[in-house]
């Protein structure tokens, strides 16, 4: 099973822009931090720019936040990068002749929708400021 790291990488980019605001903000430098290809960074930055979260200058490593970090929620980042799948997944192929297999999908859909709604509410409460504050606090302890 393959998992998407888009949300984690997008948050990483935004935190990098704050913490290294006076440093090298090139997609190559950010990609080195994420340990990803620079094209991954550029694609995510494009999504973040289209959502109005950052400002970029083509051909220049002068990316800046367009919104204060305490106003950027994890949910807004999630929405910016077009995460077009559910948080939780249900096996679509179960035996309809079995009591469990014939009913598990509808049952889990109901519970998973409730869990996802709770997750989105919590994601809306956590800000980029919270993330960067925690990163800097952990670094100070090292």
């Amino acid at each position: 099973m393959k998992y998407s790291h888009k949300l984690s990488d997008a948050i990483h980019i935004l935190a990098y822009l704050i913490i290294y605001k006076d440093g090298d903000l090139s997609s190559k430098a950010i990609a080195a931090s994420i340990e990803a290809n620079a094209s991954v960074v550029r694609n995510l930055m494009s999504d973040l720019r289209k959502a109005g979260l950052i400002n970029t200058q083509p051909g220049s490593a002068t990316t800046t936040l367009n919104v204060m970090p305490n106003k950027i929620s994890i949910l807004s980042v999630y929405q910016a990068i077009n995460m077009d799948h559910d948080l939780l997944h249900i096996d679509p192929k179960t035996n309809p002749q079995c009591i469990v297999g014939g009913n598990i999908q509808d049952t889990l859909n109901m519970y998973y929708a409730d869990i996802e709604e709770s997750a989105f509410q919590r994601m809306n409460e956590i800000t980029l400021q919270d993330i960067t504050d925690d990163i800097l606090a952990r670094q100070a302890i090292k």
Side-chain angles (χ1 to χ4, degrees), residues 8 10-12 21 25 33 39-40 64-65 69-70 85 87 96 99-100 116 118 129-131 136:
S8 175
I11 294 168
H12 189 134
K21 67 180 177 271
L25 301 179
S33 178
S39 66
V40 170
T64 57
L65 292 182
N70 65 339
H85 57 78
L87 292 177
I99 292 172
V100 177
E116 190 170 275
S118 295
Q129 188 68 58
D130 297 325
I131 301 292
L136 293 171

Side-chain angles (χ1 to χ4, degrees), residues 129-140:
Q129 188 68 58
D130 297 325
I131 301 292
T132 54
D133 287 349
D134 190 72
I135 290 168
L136 293 171
R138 289 174 188 273
Q139 182 62 29

Side-chain angles (χ1 to χ4, degrees), residues 75-89:
L75 181 60
S76 64
V77 178
Y78 177 87
Q79 292 167 333
I81 59 171
N82 303 311
M83 295 291 287
D84 58 357
H85 57 78
D86 295 327
L87 292 177
L88 303 171
H89 306 279

Side-chain angles (χ1 to χ4, degrees), residues 21-136:
K21 67 180 177 271
D22 296 322
D24 183 357
L25 301 179
S26 67
S27 58
K28 183 178 178 182
I30 297 170
S33 178
I34 296 173
E35 294 189 350
N37 189 297
S39 66
V40 170
V41 171
R42 286 190 295 274
N43 287 336
L44 286 170
M45 288 176 82
S46 175
D47 289 340
L48 295 169
R49 181 183 43 76
K50 288 175 189 169
L53 298 178
I54 63 172
N55 292 311
T56 60
Q57 298 292 332
S60 174
T62 57
T63 303
T64 57
L65 292 182
N66 197 36
V67 179
M68 295 299 294
N70 65 339
K71 300 295 184 194
I72 300 175
S73 71
I74 301 304
L75 181 60
S76 64
V77 178
Y78 177 87
Q79 292 167 333
I81 59 171
N82 303 311
M83 295 291 287
D84 58 357
H85 57 78
D86 295 327
L87 292 177
L88 303 171
H89 306 279
I90 298 169
D91 184 350
K93 292 180 145 188
T94 57
N95 182 351
Q97 304 307 313
C98 170
I99 292 172
V100 177
N103 295 288
I104 191 75
Q105 293 163 344
D106 290 338
T107 298
L108 288 179
N109 273 328
M110 176 185 65
Y111 288 111
Y112 282 9
D114 185 50
I115 292 167
E116 190 170 275
E117 181 180 326
S118 295
F120 287 153
Q121 286 175 339
R122 183 66 179 124
M123 288 168 70
N124 199 40
E125 296 168 358
I126 301 168
T127 68
L128 183 58
Q129 188 68 58
D130 297 325
I131 301 292
T132 54
D133 287 349
D134 190 72
I135 290 168
L136 293 171

